[in-house]
Amino acid sequence: MCGSLPDCDPALAARCFATFDPPGSQLGSGGGTAYLLEQAWRNSGTESFSQWLESGTKLLIHSGGESRRLPAYAATGKLFMPVPALRWKYGQSLDQTLLDMQEPFLRRVLEKSAGKRMAVASGDVLLEGVVESIPDADVVLLGMWTTPEQASHFGVMFCDRTDPEQLVKFLQKPAPARTRELSRDYLFLIDVGVWLFSARAVSCLLRRCGWDGDSQTFAGGLPSTYDLYGEWALHLGSQPEKADDEIAALSVAVVPVADGEFYHFGKNSDIIESSYALQNKVMDQTRLGAVPSLGQPRQFVLNSVFDARRSEANEQLWIENSHIPESWKLTRRHVITGVPENDWKLGLTDGQCLDAVPLGGTGFAIRFYGFDDAFRGPLGSERTAWMGRPASRWFEQRGITLQEAGLADGEDLQTARLFPKIENGAVSGEFIQWLLADDPPKNETFKNGWLEGERFSARELGQQADLVRLYAQRSRFSEKALPVMARHGASSLFYKLDISRTADRYARTGLPLVPEEEINWRGDRLLPVHDQMFRSVVLKARGQQEQAEACRRKAFHLLGELVVGPLHSQPVVPVCSVMEDQIVWARSPARIDIAGGWSDTPPYCLEHGGSVFNMAVNLNGQPPIQVFVRRTQEPSLVIRSIDLGLKEELCTYEDVGGWRGIGSGFSIARAAFALVGFHPDFNGKRFNALDEQLRHFGGGIEVSLLAAIPKGSGMGTSSILAGTLIGGLADFCGLGWDCMEIARRVSALEQMLGSGGGWQDQYGGLLPGAKYIETLPGLRQDAVVRRAPGEFFDKALQDGKMLLYYTGITRVAHNLLGEIVQNMFLNHAGVLDLIRQIAGNGRRAFESAQRDDWHGFINVVRRSWDLNRALDGGTNPPEVQAVIDRIEGDYAALKLAGAGGGGYMLILAENRDRASRIRQLLEENPLNARARFVDIELSKTGLQISRS
């Protein structure tokens, strides 16, 4: 795989270094780690090893050795085995590997490992969970809580009961009785195969493997064989199992993985059981959406053409990169990989596995083995299992002696040349059946063919497989499944995949798009939205720009209908509820988003729910967004903007309907009038004309709008203005809507305008104080709001540790919003992962405030800024960076409000002195003529509506 990686996975090859233990050597996990480090350094061209090590954190992953218990993936390494797309997860790829699944967790751990120079991970496990922080120690071991019985299969860390971070001793696969005995005095966790090393610890390990730092070489040219887990680890801890003064001098810490999940992929049964456990990680079927059923448990068919019959009885199947025609009969416990197109007539009995391994040219080797085989032990021993029975029995049943086969009694099963090479197209199903049969008929032709033909051992197949051919076949089979999956999108995982990647791949195949009318969506209204964006990407890649843009527009239109459509079926008829001379006065604070923004945006929130923490604030002592509503004698709707000095009069339904398209005059006010019933789309077509409706209403309406915040401020102005206006009109018209209903109408308004924003702005301004706002997946986004203690923020404001600075730079989020929403439609894996982290940060903000943890809150804001910049590089333009540079070293955390790029900046300081210095630096040297600090206070009221 190391040699084939540039052809099989060029993107990965471009960002990593891969090597293997030199032929004839087995360096062990410790020696292999040392060798990989040395080889990667030499490949880098850096003069000094220590300089290279200090240049950045290194992630080392051991890919799996000879893979005796999982021979199907010996050639690629377990790290590159395909992993099934999971029915509950979005943003996956049909060609995803165990490495693809592992890497996000390992990257998150590395992000928190400041000062560590190296991380080592096992390539045959998948970890899930949370690591909040990494202690400052030379060696940090990640662990999970488990039972003594489960611990007997792994390395086990015994820790101090009063200080669980402190390692006492490490044991490799201790018997359950030993673990139970030690557990009377110590806590215990299993080693999950992820270790972090300081530069000091790396040097110590290298010396144990024969490294001479002065000459920068290993004694004898190669590291000595050394086991990281079975030797080096035994010297760690305050009471190590084996004494070693140098290793004992290293500081060691153990970190439990919170909510940890551990999935092993070490042997045949593991890949099925771990995949099944992953598929069922989410059991709530109401959250799964369109997915295949579990009518065939523990059956996994990947990258294959499968035409044979199967039922629940065929449990524990792993069919990958294979063609299984209807002439095959399967039972249970099969691993079948690499089988090319064929018309063989085969019957596999319980536990029989088959693997076709491509070799140079057009030939391939047929490897046949048993489900539980370990590929270890001498051929002549009754204790050496092959095909689920003593290896010698296979030869006896076919009348073959080991001597005539050129094999020795004591030869290890892994090195014995047992597997025949066959030219593609020149093999019969009868011959393969003869190889597999428990009691084969005598057949001299087959016997002689096996004896006289070229044969390979399992070890040779792992070293000589033609991986380029293997990957090409896998790709062909996988692409054949794409149109089938698309056609059955309501019952397949197709629209949960990373559609951007799938569409690029689909476009390259030249396959026709499935006609829309042939797809049965089974009532799922979100899938057609994904489908239109999928078509858009495919058509664009094929040069059909006009059709691609039409599909893109249709996707946004369908999304808007999901939000606005329900309001068409709930008509409202406004009735004047004020006296002739009364004025309704509505006013709202602005909002500062702290964490979670973007998770509230459709379609993400509709499929995953949203999780946002924000604050409602008055600026300079006043709610900055205000609306006045009064009656007029003329039957028209009049809109005035106090801050813009503009006025417009709407006399017809057509005038009101002019909200369509951002940039139309007073589009927010037009849409708000429509939503409260002054348009036939929302009043059930009760009236023929607007003047007729207004005469029935008792006169016209004049609204005056005041937004005392600059446009593009990032404070949610447009949405809060819309909510304030709808709230004022609802009160004026006797509709009785609460803040939740007003917020729902604002979400509809934004879809009507084509801006497509989320719900956090309106909730942020309409509801008072600091709060955590959460929604569940679903088309109706009913929010649950939890209040955070206002005292926490009042104190920070009074102490001057929380500042709001207007940068004088404006940025309208519409274009950015459309771009990121498009990636949501496409289930772009990177975007979805970032938004998941953003949503999680919203909860952490709430928890920090609940704990009165200012330092934790600083970390949340810092994390928000990092995540926003990762999502959109334009969040931090050079002008904003200039502000940041001026206060570098004084601020503790900062972020721009809203989508970023300009507007208001929230700045946090550790103490009053730092905050005073920040204020002095920016006031003495402002960014521009508009830049200024603004006094803020937490709003205790949110939206207020009163009458004169």
Side-chain angles (χ1 to χ4, degrees):
M1 187 58 172
C2 294
S4 300
L5 195 60
D7 295 310
C8 296
D9 193 337
L12 177 63
R15 64 184 181 91
C16 80
F17 174 79
T19 193
F20 51 92
D21 289 1
S25 67
Q26 291 190 346
L27 301 178
S29 55
T33 297
Y35 183 71
L36 175 56
L37 280 169
E38 185 234 9
Q39 290 295 300
W41 159 58
R42 296 196 187 283
N43 183 70
S44 73
T46 308
E47 184 174 340
S48 161
F49 176 82
S50 59
Q51 288 176 345
W52 173 78
L53 187 65
E54 293 291 338
S55 66
T57 304
K58 311 297 185 287
L59 171 60
L60 282 64
I61 306 180
H62 291 284
S63 187
E66 289 198 306
S67 194
R68 295 183 184 222
R69 291 181 176 272
L70 185 57
Y73 299 103
T76 60
K78 297 170 188 173
L79 194 61
F80 298 101
M81 66 170 291
V83 175
L86 305 175
R87 63 188 189 134
W88 51 267
K89 189 172 183 180
Y90 287 76
Q92 304 168 95
S93 172
L94 288 177
D95 58 357
Q96 66 191 14
T97 64
L98 185 54
L99 174 59
D100 296 325
M101 302 286 279
Q102 283 180 336
E103 194 171 358
F105 174 83
L106 297 175
R107 291 288 178 193
R108 290 195 294 271
V109 171
L110 285 173
E111 286 174 5
K112 300 177 185 296
S113 61
K116 305 300 180 293
R117 299 271 53 92
M118 180 180 82
V120 177
S122 298
D124 62 355
V125 299
L126 175 62
L127 301 174
E128 297 282 349
V130 176
V131 175
E132 292 291 353
S133 60
I134 300 294
D136 184 15
D138 289 314
V139 181
V140 179
L141 312 176
L142 300 194
M144 290 186 188
W145 307 108
T146 188
T147 64
E149 289 72 23
Q150 184 72 12
S152 66
H153 303 291
F154 302 96
V156 182
M157 302 170 288
F158 295 89
C159 303
D160 192 307
R161 282 192 171 275
T162 60
D163 183 8
E165 194 177 280
Q166 177 65 47
L167 179 71
V168 175
K169 68 170 69 245
F170 187 105
L171 297 180
Q172 184 70 0
K173 300 181 180 180
R178 180 84 194 278
T179 299
R180 279 192 287 270
E181 177 189 353
L182 289 170
S183 71
R184 297 189 180 101
D185 299 313
Y186 308 114
L187 303 171
F188 69 93
L189 305 90
I190 60 168
D191 168 31
V192 296
V194 178
W195 293 20
L196 301 168
F197 291 71
S198 68
R200 181 184 178 205
V202 171
S203 297
C204 178
L205 174 63
L206 288 175
R207 283 193 293 274
R208 281 292 172 277
C209 296
W211 178 255
D212 183 337
D214 292 332
S215 64
Q216 300 194 108
T217 59
F218 290 106
L222 286 177
S224 54
T225 299
Y226 194 66
D227 189 341
L228 194 62
Y229 309 104
E231 292 184 70
W232 204 68
L234 302 184
H235 302 300
L236 298 173
S238 58
Q239 299 175 31
E241 188 72 359
K242 295 183 178 180
D244 183 296
D245 291 343
E246 183 182 11
I247 299 176
L250 299 173
S251 58
V252 187
V254 175
V255 175
V257 180
D259 301 320
E261 301 168 27
F262 181 88
Y263 304 94
H264 195 213
F265 290 82
K267 56 184 185 293
N268 292 326
S269 59
D270 287 342
I271 63 175
I272 295 172
E273 292 304 319
S274 291
S275 296
Y276 187 71
L278 283 164
Q279 284 285 25
N280 289 284
K281 182 177 172 181
V282 175
M283 297 296 291
D284 183 349
Q285 296 171 37
T286 64
R287 294 175 54 195
L288 297 177
V291 293
S293 72
L294 288 181
Q296 291 144 344
R298 292 176 172 81
Q299 298 181 18
F300 296 94
V301 179
L302 298 76
N303 310 311
S304 297
V305 175
F306 191 97
D307 296 323
R309 295 184 62 183
R310 58 186 169 126
S311 68
E312 281 197 38
N314 303 120
E315 66 172 4
Q316 289 194 290
L317 295 187
W318 181 272
I319 316 292
E320 196 272 317
N321 188 15
S322 293
H323 175 221
I324 310 298
E326 59 182 348
S327 54
W328 285 41
K329 290 184 179 179
L330 306 180
T331 53
R332 58 189 296 274
R333 298 195 312 145
H334 304 311
V335 174
I336 303 172
T337 58
V339 177
E341 294 180 2
N342 68 91
D343 58 359
W344 307 333
K345 187 176 181 180
L346 288 183
L348 275 65
T349 59
D350 181 7
Q352 290 188 331
C353 302
L354 192 64
D355 182 15
V357 183
L359 298 167
T362 59
F364 58 88
I366 294 292
R367 175 165 44 197
F368 43 103
Y369 57 98
F371 191 78
D372 296 316
D373 288 357
F375 275 88
R376 190 177 300 279
L379 281 178
S381 171
E382 286 290 311
R383 300 179 63 182
T384 300
W386 179 37
M387 297 292 289
R389 54 191 181 273
S392 58
R393 193 174 305 171
W394 188 89
F395 296 94
E396 293 168 2
Q397 290 173 331
R398 287 155 183 79
I400 299 173
T401 67
L402 293 178
Q403 185 176 10
E404 68 179 318
L407 302 170
D409 224 27
E411 187 164 3
D412 189 74
L413 187 63
Q414 178 75 356
T415 62
R417 289 178 169 165
L418 302 171
F419 308 114
K421 179 181 179 181
I422 302 163
E423 281 302 313
N424 199 4
V427 63
S428 67
E430 290 81 4
F431 176 60
I432 295 176
Q433 190 69 68
W434 180 81
L435 294 173
L436 292 169
D438 288 330
D439 188 16
K442 289 187 177 180
N443 190 312
E444 290 300 314
T445 300
F446 291 162
K447 174 183 174 180
N448 292 333
W450 183 85
L451 281 170
E452 297 168 8
E454 188 176 6
R455 287 179 272 123
F456 291 80
S457 68
R459 176 171 291 174
E460 288 170 331
L461 292 180
Q463 296 170 348
Q464 298 180 35
D466 186 337
L467 297 186
V468 174
R469 278 181 58 202
L470 184 147
Y471 267 63
Q473 176 177 287
R474 177 181 288 156
S475 181
R476 285 197 307 272
F477 285 152
S478 179
E479 287 169 0
K480 285 184 177 182
L482 291 175
V484 178
M485 293 182 70
R487 178 173 274 104
H488 299 284
S491 56
S492 78
L493 290 165
F494 189 81
Y495 292 103
K496 283 189 174 179
L497 299 172
D498 183 331
I499 300 172
S500 58
R501 286 187 62 177
T502 308
D504 286 341
R505 188 176 181 190
Y506 201 108
R508 290 194 300 271
T509 67
L511 292 165
L513 288 166
V514 178
E516 292 179 49
E517 61 274 12
E518 293 183 13
I519 303 176
N520 180 1
W521 297 115
R522 296 188 178 181
D524 192 310
R525 300 176 64 196
L526 265 172
L527 291 183
V529 179
H530 288 295
D531 178 62
Q532 290 300 318
M533 200 59 77
F534 164 72
R535 293 172 186 276
S536 176
V537 176
V538 173
L539 292 167
K540 184 176 181 180
R542 291 177 175 174
Q544 298 171 261
Q545 301 294 333
E546 190 174 327
Q547 298 94 319
E549 182 56 28
C551 288
R552 183 180 183 277
R553 287 196 301 269
K554 186 174 179 180
F556 280 95
H557 172 74
L558 290 173
L559 177 64
E561 282 299 304
L562 292 179
V563 179
V564 181
L567 301 183
H568 292 155
S569 60
Q570 302 167 15
V572 293
V573 179
V575 176
C576 186
S577 66
V578 299
M579 296 180 181
E580 187 177 355
D581 62 343
Q582 278 188 308
I583 294 176
V584 170
W585 177 28
R587 58 267 191 208
S588 297
R591 73 97 187 92
I592 300 176
D593 61 310
I594 302 297
W598 290 114
S599 73
D600 62 308
T601 306
Y604 183 89
C605 62
L606 306 182
E607 293 181 309
H608 308 277
S611 174
V612 174
F613 187 88
N614 62 31
M615 303 162 52
V617 294
N618 292 330
L619 305 184
N620 294 328
Q622 296 294 328
I625 299 169
Q626 305 195 20
V627 173
F628 305 87
V629 188
R630 73 179 187 91
R631 290 176 65 178
T632 63
Q633 295 298 317
E634 294 299 319
S636 64
L637 304 174
V638 178
I639 310 164
R640 295 180 185 272
S641 170
I642 296 173
D643 50 297
L644 297 177
L646 301 175
K647 172 188 173 182
E648 194 160 346
E649 186 174 6
L650 312 179
C651 300
T652 66
Y653 283 142
E654 288 74 18
D655 292 341
V656 177
W659 73 74
R660 296 176 177 87
I662 288 181
S664 60
F666 289 116
S667 55
I668 290 175
R670 293 169 189 265
F673 273 123
L675 286 165
V676 298
F678 291 103
H679 192 277
D681 286 355
F682 298 95
N683 64 22
K685 299 180 172 57
R686 288 280 300 273
F687 305 96
N688 295 316
L690 179 61
D691 59 349
E692 176 191 340
Q693 181 177 1
L694 290 174
R695 282 193 292 271
H696 182 271
F697 184 79
I701 302 174
E702 180 180 283
V703 296
S704 298
L705 314 176
L706 172 62
I709 309 178
K711 186 178 181 181
S713 66
M715 300 284 276
T717 309
S718 298
S719 298
I720 299 172
L721 177 62
T724 309
L725 176 55
I726 290 174
L729 287 172
D731 182 80
F732 191 88
C733 299
L735 298 175
W737 292 343
D738 62 11
C739 283
M740 295 296 182
E741 182 60 28
I742 294 169
R744 187 163 80 100
R745 303 268 165 170
V746 175
S747 293
L749 180 145
E750 291 181 331
Q751 293 295 333
M752 292 162 63
L753 267 56
S755 56
W759 43 250
Q760 80 134 324
D761 293 349
Q762 50 267 36
Y763 281 118
L766 300 179
L767 299 175
K771 60 269 182 191
Y772 175 59
I773 313 162
E774 191 173 27
T775 63
L776 294 174
L779 295 182
R780 185 179 173 107
Q781 288 286 285
D782 293 324
V784 174
V785 181
R786 297 178 177 87
R787 309 287 181 187
E791 299 82 5
F792 175 79
F793 299 94
D794 289 341
K795 185 175 186 300
L797 290 167
Q798 289 164 10
D799 289 348
K801 296 187 297 186
M802 181 181 288
L803 304 169
L804 189 65
Y805 181 70
Y806 180 56
T807 64
I809 306 166
T810 61
R811 182 191 191 195
V812 179
H814 173 62
N815 291 336
L816 166 65
L817 186 65
E819 194 176 304
I820 292 180
V821 168
Q822 176 171 317
N823 282 324
M824 293 177 184
F825 283 130
L826 293 170
N827 296 334
H828 188 287
V831 169
L832 292 189
D833 183 60
L834 283 169
I835 298 178
R836 275 192 291 268
Q837 294 181 60
I838 285 170
N841 205 37
R843 176 173 285 278
R844 282 189 283 275
F846 177 62
E847 291 169 349
S848 298
Q850 290 284 84
R851 293 193 302 265
D852 194 24
D853 179 5
W854 181 246
H855 183 69
F857 190 74
I858 284 172
N859 286 336
V860 165
V861 173
R862 188 181 296 144
R863 180 70 172 152
S864 282
W865 181 233
D866 290 342
L867 289 169
N868 283 357
R869 285 185 295 168
L871 188 62
D872 169 39
T875 293
N876 186 24
E879 297 91 338
V880 170
Q881 187 60 47
V883 177
I884 297 172
D885 291 342
R886 289 178 195 179
I887 58 175
E888 187 66 47
D890 289 303
Y891 72 89
L894 55 77
K895 72 177 294 293
L896 290 173
Y904 283 89
M905 177 184 287
L906 178 69
I907 306 173
L908 306 184
E910 291 283 4
N911 52 54
R912 183 187 293 271
D913 290 341
R914 292 282 190 185
S916 297
R917 177 167 169 77
I918 291 168
R919 184 180 285 271
Q920 179 183 357
L921 287 169
L922 294 181
E923 286 180 338
E924 289 178 353
N925 187 17
L927 181 64
N928 52 55
R930 299 178 300 279
R932 60 191 180 272
F933 282 96
V934 177
D935 292 335
I936 57 173
E937 63 182 8
L938 206 61
S939 169
K940 304 297 193 293
T941 60
L943 171 65
Q944 292 176 279
I945 301 176
S946 56
R947 300 184 180 190
S948 61

